[in-house]
Amino acid sequence: MVLYQDVTDNEGVCPKCRSLELLKTIKESKIFEECRVVIERPVEEIIKDLINIYKEYKSKAPSEPIFRYSYEAKEYALEIVEHIVWHPGTLIYFEDSHLMEEAKNIITELWETTDYNDLSDEMFSGGFSGLMVNIICEYIERAKKIKPIFITVEPTDEIRTYFQEAMDAWCYGLYTAALILSCSILESILKQQLLRKDPKFVYDIDNGKGFQNIKEKDLKMLIDNAKQAGLLDDIEIKEAQKIRESRNAAVHKLRQYTSEKIYQAIITTKELIEKLLT
């Protein structure tokens, strides 16, 4: 653990692993003038260390799983398992193809020798840095903020489904996903309503390149055109552009936002949909 990152999440949680306890410990330690969160070392480094131990011990007891006869290997294995539990589906890359194959084999052996009951007992008893405790507590905190959301126009099945997906993503702490879904809903409704006004609001028809080369306008232009079409006023245009800009920053610059900001983006999306559909 050698890297540190400034905490910008006003909720007081780790922006990487969402750990309340880790942040609390660092705050109370007063090691840093400004609160900082320790970032775990890359899982690739841990796997490399495990591979080196594997090579050393496997020649001594080839018939026994390394994780049962090597305490050091078990420690690295637990560290890898904890990382994967916190970050399921994590992407692992090695430039060396031989090293990549060794890594695949050792992770396969690790997963095959990991007992499901032991893993679940560890998770639910506060292990893995309090994974389940953090997940459950934070979910409850977010769920408490959600009340039924009343909308003044009847939503289509598509709007209802994607809006619920956005809310579910937010509730589970998947803020970027919630923001992307909100922006997608807004873009879809904008196209639908602008096409009713004039296809030129959505497509570059007079580009001089023929029918087959007609291009769809980007979201920024669609939002600006909503003003020309009389669908949104200046304040609403500004709000819609803020959602677009936040989406772009989250996707392309990996910017992280607090749950409050994403929740507000979802609610603003709902209000813009109402205006567009009325």
Side-chain angles (χ1 to χ4, degrees):
M1 298 213 177
V2 294
L3 300 176
Y4 301 92
Q5 173 173 311
D6 289 330
V7 176
T8 57
D9 191 330
N10 295 326
E11 296 176 286
V13 299
C14 169
K16 289 291 182 183
C17 68
R18 321 300 302 166
S19 173
L20 294 164
E21 191 59 37
L22 175 60
L23 186 55
K24 179 181 177 183
T25 301
I26 294 175
K27 281 182 176 180
E28 292 176 349
S29 68
K30 299 181 179 179
I31 296 176
F32 309 103
E33 292 182 4
E34 297 182 1
C35 180
R36 293 173 179 270
V37 174
V38 179
I39 300 178
E40 62 193 23
R41 67 189 181 117
V43 68
E44 286 87 352
E45 290 184 11
I46 308 170
I47 293 174
K48 283 182 182 179
D49 291 339
L50 183 55
I51 289 173
N52 291 332
I53 298 172
Y54 186 91
K55 289 178 179 178
E56 177 184 349
Y57 281 87
K58 202 62 177 174
S59 61
K60 300 178 182 179
S63 63
E64 291 292 331
I66 184 174
F67 312 111
R68 293 181 183 172
Y69 66 77
S70 169
Y71 175 80
E72 190 176 11
K74 185 177 181 180
E75 288 296 302
Y76 281 121
L78 287 173
E79 196 173 353
I80 293 170
V81 170
E82 180 166 353
H83 177 95
I84 295 174
V85 168
W86 272 104
H87 311 284
T90 189
L91 297 176
I92 299 174
Y93 170 75
F94 292 103
E95 185 176 0
D96 185 331
S97 58
H98 179 68
L99 182 59
M100 176 75 83
E101 196 60 32
E102 288 183 317
K104 287 181 180 179
N105 291 335
I106 201 167
I107 291 299
T108 298
E109 183 173 335
L110 170 59
W111 231 236
E112 288 177 351
T113 55
T114 299
D115 185 87
Y116 171 80
N117 292 326
D118 291 341
L119 189 62
S120 59
D121 288 344
E122 179 74 9
M123 290 174 66
F124 285 99
S125 64
F128 299 129
S129 303
L131 172 66
M132 294 306 299
V133 173
N134 279 282
I135 290 176
I136 293 171
C137 290
E138 290 179 22
Y139 179 90
I140 292 172
E141 282 298 314
R142 285 188 288 267
K144 283 168 58 180
K145 297 178 183 178
I146 298 179
K147 293 179 290 186
I149 298 173
F150 294 90
I151 186 168
T152 57
V153 293
E154 184 176 3
T156 64
D157 289 341
E158 181 184 20
I159 293 174
R160 191 185 298 275
T161 298
Y162 283 112
F163 192 83
Q164 185 63 59
E165 288 283 336
M167 271 299 181
D168 289 346
W170 176 82
C171 207
Y172 283 103
L174 305 175
Y175 300 148
T176 298
L179 189 56
I180 291 172
L181 283 165
S182 296
C183 203
S184 295
I185 297 169
L186 178 60
E187 185 171 12
S188 177
I189 300 300
L190 272 171
K191 289 177 184 177
Q192 173 187 314
Q193 298 303 95
L194 286 170
L195 280 172
R196 291 181 176 180
K197 293 285 185 178
D198 191 334
K200 291 182 180 180
F201 285 134
V202 178
Y203 299 103
D204 283 321
I205 296 176
D206 300 324
N207 59 11
K209 297 181 180 180
F211 181 78
Q212 292 181 340
N213 293 308
I214 291 177
K215 291 186 178 180
E216 195 173 277
K217 296 180 185 293
D218 62 21
L219 181 55
K220 182 179 186 304
M221 186 61 70
L222 292 176
I223 295 172
D224 288 339
N225 286 347
K227 180 181 178 181
Q228 292 186 45
L231 297 175
L232 299 174
D233 60 29
D234 288 339
I235 295 176
E236 291 160 343
I237 291 292
K238 185 177 180 180
E239 290 299 317
Q241 294 289 14
K242 281 171 61 178
I243 293 174
R244 178 189 65 82
E245 291 166 1
S246 296
R247 187 275 312 270
N248 288 348
V251 173
H252 301 298
K253 298 180 181 179
L254 304 182
R255 184 173 299 173
Q256 296 176 345
Y257 294 97
T258 63
S259 68
E260 283 81 2
K261 288 183 179 179
I262 301 302
Y263 182 78
Q264 186 55 52
I266 296 173
I267 298 303
T268 300
T269 299
K270 188 271 296 187
E271 294 169 350
L272 292 172
I273 289 172
E274 285 183 310
K275 180 63 181 292
L276 289 167
L277 293 180
T278 55

